[in-house]
Amino acid sequence: MIIHPLAEVSPRAKLGVDVEIGPFAVVEDDVEIGDRCQIAARASVKSGTTMGCENLIGEGAIVGGLPQHLHQPENPGRLMIGDRNMIRENVTLHRAFIPDQATIIGNDCLLMVGSHIAHDCIIGNNVVLTNNALLGGHVTVGDRAYLGGGAAVHQFCHIGRVAMIGGLARLDQDVLPYMMVDGESNRVVGLNRVGLRRAGATPHERTQIKEAYNLIYRSGFHFEQLIEALEEQYDAGPAAEFAPFLRTGTRGYIRERRDPPKSFRLVREDPAADSKLIVEPVKQAG
């Protein structure tokens, strides 16, 4: 264990083996830090925080702060952090507002500079929040989701697993699993195909997800018809996650962006050629 002489560590904090704590870092009472964690200079690990092994807490990060709420709870909940997370400079992570509950961060996440996770959020594994991404209270983020820089998520929204959110997006509704959301329009622009391949989805599973996508956004079914159709057609595999996700949402879900009328896109006359771009009208779905 290496604790810099200029660090302030409570004798009532529980530290694992091979923990490193840098200068001017603060570790308060009622903190548990797992083996081989690194707490960099000026970072604060506040009361009510439990973290697993091999986490990196960057310079100036504040881990376990009280909820940002007009009415502070008398007995706030905890912050629970898993293993092997990289929490970079000036990240802020807050404890749960509700007593006996916890803000939860899974394993192998990357939280980049200045990102914020508010009280009572639940974050899965392998999640990436890029610089200055902001999550309001009670947000749920599924495994392998990716949020671009400056994206902001409203309270109580759910982001499905393997979803990809563009930079500066403003989300006030749920994002279904595997979707890709454009940061300018705040609309779904297709499937996160690269993320699906990296997550190990088979070609058959990706085909089913594409079929379900068309069913959700282009069938014209009303909500109950849509859920019944999804449950009937997909009882296993990744596509089977859509129906329960839709049933548990409370804020509606992000709609698909469609090309506006009379718009055009550039296409290649010969896909193998390096030139000869032509313009063709976009065909509108009927």
Side-chain angles (χ1 to χ4, degrees):
M1 187 182 303
I2 302 174
I3 300 177
H4 195 280
L6 295 178
E8 183 176 338
V9 179
S10 168
R12 289 182 288 276
K14 297 179 180 179
L15 307 182
V17 300
D18 297 327
V19 170
E20 298 182 19
I21 301 177
F24 304 106
V26 177
V27 178
E28 296 184 346
D29 298 344
D30 190 22
V31 164
E32 297 180 24
I33 298 177
D35 299 343
R36 296 176 297 283
C37 287
Q38 299 178 46
I39 314 298
R42 300 181 291 102
S44 295
V45 183
K46 303 182 76 64
S47 296
T49 299
T50 299
M51 69 176 72
C53 301
E54 300 178 17
N55 294 291
L56 170 65
I57 310 299
E59 289 84 349
I62 299 177
V63 176
L66 291 173
Q68 295 184 121
H69 201 282
L70 289 173
H71 306 288
Q72 285 295 320
E74 293 184 8
N75 299 299
R78 297 190 66 83
L79 170 66
M80 308 289 291
I81 301 173
D83 301 328
R84 299 177 303 279
N85 296 287
M86 186 176 293
I87 299 169
R88 293 296 302 267
E89 299 89 339
N90 301 317
V91 169
T92 51
L93 310 176
H94 289 174
R95 296 167 62 180
F97 181 84
I98 301 172
D100 302 322
Q101 298 293 321
T103 302
I104 298 174
I105 298 170
N107 304 321
D108 302 295
C109 296
L110 171 57
L111 310 180
M112 294 190 193
V113 173
S115 55
H116 171 69
I117 296 177
H119 60 88
D120 298 283
C121 288
I122 299 177
I123 311 301
N125 301 321
N126 300 101
V127 170
V128 176
L129 269 59
T130 56
N131 299 57
N132 299 310
L134 310 173
L135 305 184
H138 303 274
V139 167
T140 299
V141 181
D143 294 349
R144 292 183 174 273
Y146 183 103
L147 276 72
V153 184
H154 194 280
Q155 293 171 315
F156 294 97
C157 285
H158 292 187
I159 297 176
R161 73 185 189 97
V162 199
M164 185 170 187
I165 312 302
L168 302 179
R170 305 172 305 282
L171 302 181
D172 59 1
Q173 292 182 306
D174 296 348
V175 178
L176 291 166
Y178 322 120
M179 298 299 158
M180 188 157 54
V181 176
D182 171 51
E184 182 177 4
S185 65
N186 303 307
R187 290 292 182 264
V188 170
V189 293
L191 293 170
N192 183 11
R193 300 176 186 276
V194 173
L196 282 167
R197 288 196 295 270
R198 290 176 177 174
T202 66
H204 175 67
E205 290 172 335
R206 297 200 297 270
T207 297
Q208 285 192 322
I209 291 170
K210 183 177 180 180
E211 293 170 352
Y213 176 97
N214 289 327
L215 190 64
I216 292 167
Y217 287 109
R218 301 181 180 180
S219 66
F221 289 160
H222 66 66
F223 190 71
E224 287 301 325
Q225 284 180 318
L226 172 61
I227 291 180
E228 290 174 4
L230 289 168
E231 290 176 335
E232 180 179 345
Q233 295 186 36
Y234 308 105
D235 59 356
E241 298 179 25
F242 286 119
F245 188 96
L246 288 167
R247 283 199 181 278
T248 56
T250 60
R251 299 192 56 83
Y253 57 95
I254 297 292
R255 308 302 297 177
E256 183 187 33
R257 186 190 75 186
R258 306 300 292 271
D259 292 305
K262 300 182 180 179
S263 64
F264 294 85
R265 65 163 64 98
L266 292 174
V267 297
R268 294 192 183 277
E269 186 176 20
D270 179 0
D274 293 330
S275 58
K276 293 187 178 180
L277 287 174
I278 62 174
V279 178
E280 70 172 16
V282 173
K283 295 180 181 180
Q284 299 296 308

